[in-house]
Amino acid sequence: MSVIERQRGVALWRQIADRIRSAIAEGAYDGEGKLPPELVLAEGFGVNRHTVRAAIAALQQEGIVQAVQGRGTLVRRRDKYDFPISRRTRFTEGLGDQVRDIEGLLLNAATESANAECAKWLDVPVGTPLKRLEVLRRADGRALSRSTLWFPLEHRTEKWEPGFGKIRRENNEPERFSAIDDAFRQTGSITAALARCGVPDYLRQCTEISAVHAEPQDVADLGLTPGAIVLVAKALNTDLQSVPIQFAVTRFPADRVQFTIRSDGLS
């Protein structure tokens, strides 16, 4: 343990909850399976017992620890879901037999213009019409991810232009993904929805992963407490001709999911 920094703009109890959560993830309390007494934690972090108590209360609300009369605060061991990232990353197939039931819920859908970030990932001009889906996925009744997904509303093909030695992109089949919200609503699967829109197979081209504190929407949708850690995966999927078809930003509770990079994802 180390003394908490007091001028970071983050509540002390939240910083302590983060430290304890990380320590649990690293197996720091595997010996007896319980946290040190509040007084020991308070001295270690350089705070009072009330601050430590608030941190433990937050962790208890998240289901990470449990106070047991006469035994102290016990760590609740829960195996994390292992989510593989590879060239053919698929949500349902990735979880495989780790879960009994997977549910995909469409929270919202809209048509909007591509902002700078979406335009960069999808390789389209800013302002290009996109279909946006807000999706919540549950595994065995527990919220496991919340995704925002964008699909270009124009089908682009690539052709070799003789004499110029470069690829020329052309627009074709306008609004190919205009009904992907209905397709997802009916199937609960992005893979199945893409197939209904004429994309029977696709590849993961890039995944960027970062860790942040839960935002209010994460707290509400994923059942977290303020200050919980969320893993954010930004991903680009393309069709088999390497044309971008989907940009996604997915938020996972860090205490429920871990990522495994498969070897085929490195090729």
Side-chain angles (χ1 to χ4, degrees), residues 52-252:
V52 168
R53 197 166 296 155
I56 292 175
L59 295 173
Q60 197 164 350
Q61 187 176 342
E62 290 181 44
I64 295 176
V65 300
Q66 179 181 16
V68 178
Q69 185 69 30
R71 296 183 60 192
T73 303
L74 305 184
V75 175
R76 297 182 65 182
R77 294 298 174 191
R78 286 186 178 178
D79 291 335
K80 293 184 179 182
Y81 295 109
D82 184 56
F83 189 76
I85 295 176
S86 68
R87 289 280 283 170
R88 279 189 163 80
T89 298
R90 306 289 189 266
F91 190 86
T92 300
E93 294 177 12
L95 291 175
D97 58 5
Q98 299 177 76
V99 299
R100 296 182 300 276
D101 179 63
I102 296 177
E103 183 181 17
L105 303 175
L106 180 63
L107 303 178
N108 189 27
T111 298
E112 63 185 29
S113 299
N115 60 20
E117 182 178 34
C118 289
K120 177 181 177 182
W121 279 83
L122 292 169
D123 193 19
V124 297
V126 172
T128 296
L130 308 176
K131 175 71 80 169
R132 172 178 54 80
L133 305 188
E134 302 287 344
V135 170
L136 179 69
R137 293 186 178 94
R138 296 191 181 114
D140 294 336
R142 296 178 70 202
L144 202 58
S145 72
R146 189 189 194 285
S147 300
T148 303
L149 309 102
W150 291 269
F151 304 84
L153 285 179
E154 293 179 342
H155 180 191
R156 292 179 299 147
T157 58
E158 294 187 342
K159 293 183 178 180
W160 180 260
E161 188 169 317
F164 290 90
K166 63 179 180 180
I167 295 294
R168 182 182 65 198
R169 286 181 171 160
E170 298 182 344
N171 293 333
N172 187 24
E173 298 181 21
E175 301 195 355
R176 173 166 63 156
F177 296 120
S178 60
I180 195 165
D181 50 339
D182 291 331
F184 180 80
R185 189 180 288 111
Q186 294 167 16
T187 64
S189 163
I190 291 296
T191 298
L194 285 170
R196 290 193 179 191
C197 294
V199 184
D201 196 8
Y202 59 96
L203 300 174
R204 175 64 58 89
Q205 293 295 335
C206 177
T207 305
E208 293 182 0
I209 301 172
S210 58
V212 299
H213 286 285
E215 296 179 353
Q217 198 66 55
D218 300 322
V219 172
D221 292 337
L222 299 175
L224 305 176
T225 57
I229 301 299
V230 173
L231 300 176
V232 181
K234 293 185 177 182
L236 175 68
N237 287 327
T238 70
D239 63 18
L240 299 187
Q241 285 71 50
S242 298
V243 176
I245 59 169
Q246 178 200 63
F247 169 49
V249 178
T250 304
R251 304 171 76 84
F252 299 86

